[in-house]
Amino acid sequence: MSLFLRRFTPVAQLRWGAAHTLAPRRLMSKGTLDPMTGELTALPDINISALEVIRNTKPATPPPSSTLVFGHTFTDHMLTIPWNAISGWGVPQIKPYSPLSLEPSSTVLHYAQTIFEGMKAYRQEDGRVTLFRPDMNMKRMNNSAQRIALPNFDGDALLELIKELIRIDKHWIPKEPGHSLYIRPTLIGTQKAIGVGPPTEALLFVICSPVGPYYPKGFKPVALYGTTEYIRAAPGGTGAFKLGVNYAPGVMPQKEAAAKGYVQNLWLHGPEHYLTEVGTMNMFVVFRKEDGAIELVTPPLDGLILPGVTRDSVLALARDHISGKNPLPKLPDNLIVSERPVTMKEVKEASESGNLVELFGAGTAAVISPVDRIGYLGEDVHIPTGEGGMGPVSRPIWTELVGRQTGTISSEWSVEVTK
């Protein structure tokens, strides 16, 4: 198969279809020199002006949207950027989606040196393509990299390269409402050595997958198993970072929960059984207080909780509603927002007294996932659900959030990729 290779210089000439350019980055991408010795004091960062594009000469035909299974279909191209401890970040390439070449001794295969992100590109009604708050994904990815001694990078530069990848494969974004392009940036250690330590080689790559709505037939509240036998994270551990090592240990407990008749785990921590996360999502619970006020509660970012983009968005929308900056239709006026610990004892007592309003998960894939019961210590704690499966707090927040993602509601959180 012959491939067409093009190196882009100058950057301003980079165009595919609709007019757009990649803006030049600052010179730090070439490394920083000591003014006295002339030696490198910082390794070269990602240099978008060095981007090479290798076009797929045998592109696939996107399948019908109705056949999409989340995370099983991938677009024609991928982005790769190598790194090593001597020369820093290497030449970025957008090339045909294909297998990676890794040696059996690569550190990622032995010591789980891998981090990733999950983000989405949306096709707006007017044809534009946008990303939702991608700057937060770049910041979190850098924090995750630092936690396991993988190399940091210029998040703005990586984001520009991701935009270019999306532009090339934008025809893969389904046109149907509720659909999007799921984007998976990943960074792995690739040093060819067996031994625990910071890797001297790494690979950053990005793949894309067209996806449909998480609930194609409408919202269906899920049942959770209050998991006390296992923990997702511990103080001082890695729960606050998006690492591959955090996910595999949850598969077996999820299988056990499914065998008991529950959809996912509700991760409980400590002898007090503090609620932490729902499966791989952040968790929110809504209480009715004695004075009639409605309290939206989520656990604090105390090192156990992943700082989710959707979590932050839910909190921001609720607080803007309370302040009057952006009142949301049908969201209670007497709303209170709390980032505080919450125990299963509090949830159970609120359910029994009628003061539990709703409980839901929040994440990139599902956006909002309502819950209708929790299996806890041999019995079910029942959670109210409103009309259509969502409650009086989650429904208006979900409406605003999805509106901003899909472009029906104008927002600074929406970052344009193509016009």
Side-chain angles (χ1 to χ4, degrees):
M1 178 176 69
S2 63
L3 299 175
F4 173 66
L5 172 65
R6 178 180 177 185
R7 188 175 181 90
F8 289 89
T9 52
V11 178
Q13 294 178 0
L14 174 60
R15 296 175 184 271
W16 296 98
H20 60 266
T21 64
L22 291 181
R25 296 296 303 163
R26 52 188 180 276
L27 292 179
M28 67 171 286
S29 63
K30 297 181 180 179
T32 303
L33 297 178
D34 186 300
M36 299 295 293
T37 66
E39 296 179 348
L40 279 172
T41 59
L43 292 175
D45 212 320
I46 295 175
N47 181 5
I48 64 174
S49 66
L51 174 65
E52 297 176 354
V53 170
I54 305 171
R55 280 282 189 168
N56 191 331
T57 59
K58 294 183 178 180
T61 300
S65 298
S66 59
T67 66
L68 292 174
V69 176
F70 190 92
H72 283 236
T73 302
F74 298 95
T75 65
D76 291 321
H77 298 88
M78 61 191 292
L79 168 68
T80 62
I81 317 172
W83 175 91
N84 68 62
I86 302 299
S87 56
W89 289 100
V91 175
Q93 283 190 332
I94 293 176
K95 59 186 181 181
Y97 178 91
S98 59
L100 299 176
S101 178
L102 295 176
E103 297 208 13
S105 57
S106 295
T107 51
V108 63
L109 303 178
H110 300 269
Y111 309 114
Q113 290 177 330
T114 176
I115 66 172
F116 64 92
E117 276 298 322
M119 47 204 293
K120 287 182 177 179
Y122 300 87
R123 186 185 297 278
Q124 313 290 6
E125 291 183 353
D126 60 6
R128 292 180 303 121
V129 174
T130 61
L131 290 165
F132 182 74
R133 306 190 75 183
D135 57 307
M136 294 193 67
N137 296 97
M138 297 297 99
K139 291 174 184 176
R140 186 172 65 181
M141 192 171 182
N142 263 313
N143 288 337
S144 297
Q146 184 175 8
R147 179 61 179 85
I148 60 170
L150 285 169
N152 285 122
F153 55 87
D154 182 343
D156 291 340
L158 176 58
L159 182 55
E160 289 303 314
L161 293 172
I162 290 174
K163 289 179 181 178
E164 188 59 27
L165 175 63
I166 296 169
R167 291 179 189 120
I168 290 173
D169 280 348
K170 66 180 180 180
H171 60 286
W172 281 84
I173 307 176
K175 297 180 173 61
E176 292 81 358
H179 292 63
S180 58
L181 187 69
Y182 187 82
I183 301 154
R184 173 53 62 89
T186 306
L187 176 58
I188 62 175
T190 56
Q191 181 180 356
K192 298 174 282 296
I194 295 176
V196 180
T200 59
E201 296 174 274
L203 177 68
L204 196 161
F205 64 91
V206 183
I207 56 177
C208 303
S209 174
V211 296
Y214 199 81
Y215 297 102
K217 297 181 180 179
F219 282 97
K220 182 179 180 181
V222 300
L224 304 178
Y225 176 64
T227 305
T228 57
E229 304 93 325
Y230 311 97
I231 62 171
R232 175 193 165 272
T238 60
F241 306 92
K242 205 164 181 66
L243 316 180
V245 72
N246 288 344
Y247 291 81
V251 175
M252 190 267 287
Q254 198 280 326
K255 289 181 64 177
E256 292 187 2
K260 292 179 170 69
Y262 300 94
V263 175
Q264 261 297 357
N265 300 88
L266 173 60
W267 299 106
L268 304 177
H269 182 75
E272 303 85 359
H273 293 167
Y274 287 109
L275 283 70
T276 61
E277 295 196 1
V278 174
T280 59
M281 293 184 289
N282 292 122
M283 188 278 307
F284 289 84
V285 58
V286 182
F287 297 106
R288 182 179 296 103
K289 300 177 73 68
E290 290 184 1
D291 61 1
I294 301 298
E295 183 186 22
L296 174 65
V297 181
T298 194
L301 299 179
D302 56 3
L304 297 181
I305 307 298
L306 184 72
V309 177
T310 308
R311 175 190 183 275
D312 185 84
S313 302
V314 169
L315 291 173
L317 291 176
R319 287 172 173 147
D320 283 352
H321 171 81
I322 293 169
S323 69
K325 179 181 178 181
N326 182 45
L328 301 184
K330 299 184 179 181
L331 189 62
D333 293 328
N334 58 343
L335 185 66
I336 300 170
V337 174
S338 300
E339 292 182 71
R340 65 170 178 83
V342 57
T343 65
M344 271 306 301
K345 180 176 183 290
E346 182 180 4
V347 171
K348 184 178 179 182
E349 290 178 350
S351 175
E352 293 170 347
S353 66
N355 290 320
L356 183 59
V357 179
E358 62 173 313
L359 191 150
F360 59 93
T364 299
V367 185
I368 298 292
S369 180
V371 176
D372 61 1
R373 64 186 173 99
I374 300 170
Y376 178 61
L377 300 182
E379 60 179 307
D380 279 349
V381 176
H382 293 279
I383 316 292
T385 55
E387 182 179 355
M390 301 185 76
V393 173
S394 61
R395 170 68 73 177
I397 289 178
W398 174 84
T399 301
E400 177 76 13
L401 193 52
V402 171
R404 293 187 179 205
Q405 290 174 338
T406 60
T408 58
I409 298 175
S410 178
S411 169
E412 61 186 11
W413 290 346
S414 185
V415 175
E416 190 171 276
V417 177
T418 66
K419 295 183 179 180

